Amino acid sequence: MPLLKRIPPGLWVGLVWFVVAVEPIVEYVLMPPSRKYSLSYPRHGLDPLSARLLLAIAFVMIMAGSAQLRRRTSTGYGLLLAGTVFSTVAWRQHEIPPVQYLGVDIALCYIAATRPRRTSLIAAAAALATLPCYLALRLGLGEQDALGSDPYIALIVVIAWLVGNSIRQSRLHTEELHARAAAQAVTAERLRIAREMHDTVAHSIGIIALQAGAAARVIETQPDRAREAMLTVEKTGRETLAGLRRMLGALRQADREADGMAGQDTARTTARTAAPTTGQTTARTTARAAEAPREPAAPASLRPAVGLADVERLAATTTAAGVRVEVRWQGRRRPLPPDLDLAAFRIVQESVTNVVRHSGADSCRVSVDYGDDELAIEVRDRGEGPAPDAGHDTGYGLVGMRERIALLHGDFTAGPATDGGFRVAARLPLPADARTH
């Protein structure tokens, strides 16, 4: 249960050890005499002052070891072993009872589950070595009889290590699967960005072809219209080239950190995925060029198929589906580079989709702030988030959003808001021609 997982491991170890240590004191020392007796806990075992002093030292060691088990594992574990031995010496026991070693077993299980295997093996060896060392100490003091519990304690120690190691292996396997899934999500998002960037470039090239052809036809009869068309060609070309440089520069930087073969596979996959889109987009561009009038038309829109202008439509569709979306615009709205405009819309779209699927909220707020040097986007809801057992979603939509923002050299944050709900925020730097001064 989530509440129990928040309890520090040292507290579990301390509670178990204290219960096991206090129970015989209550039963065989404080309670009235009864017919029951114990060879491990004799009724007069704690009568000497030295025995009580040793038991008090053992309690202090256990408290210190439990407190340091997480931060200083070796020191805390050593104090637990020493405290257990001191408690057995206080009772003048021939061997360590299995229940009295239970706190050490739990600590060993925790170490095996959270620390490297070498560390856990050393801890297990220390727990096993304590048993014959204690027996040798008792034999050296002239105690000849023994309870014969060492094999059972050793078996429990081995089981505790195996359980902890199994938990560690399971956790490492889960982390590896999550890492692979996250890498696949990043690759899929890059492929999607590549397809969208291809459509944007193809759209811009179509505009350049139309305007250049129109300018060539009227350059002698209508020089003003021809100049306007060529200025549109220049602006479109510069914006498209800037977008390509931004994306390819970030992709090259990421590819240097990736495996070379993985980069080749991704490039081949991108080419195969983008090929059908290339044909379809080229056909659409050719058809538009064939249907273009002989006289130059007004400069075509440089906005891609989707962008921030479609946020209102997204909000209306989501509201009709049952989750009200409030859109707030701040700053002076102005045209943005196609790649930045598209990425901003995808951030809003994915965030709103997560609100509908996972938050449990009935409304959310989308804020788009056109700043002088950057574009700020924020999506907030008042939901409680997904239930602990609500499926296996791992938040890879956030991975895709973070990848988009990274390609544009922006900042991205996502997580629970301080006043409740969930908050997604992104900041995208604007190129020089899109800024206001």
Side-chain angles (χ1 to χ4, degrees), residues 416-432:
T418 55
D419 55 348
F422 198 84
R423 175 178 178 269
V424 175
R427 292 184 177 274
L428 297 169
L430 298 178

Side-chain angles (χ1 to χ4, degrees), residues 394-411:
T394 51
Y396 296 126
L398 299 179
V399 174
M401 286 190 281
R402 185 173 286 106
E403 180 68 12
R404 282 186 178 273
I405 300 302
L407 291 178
L408 295 172
H409 307 287
D411 296 325

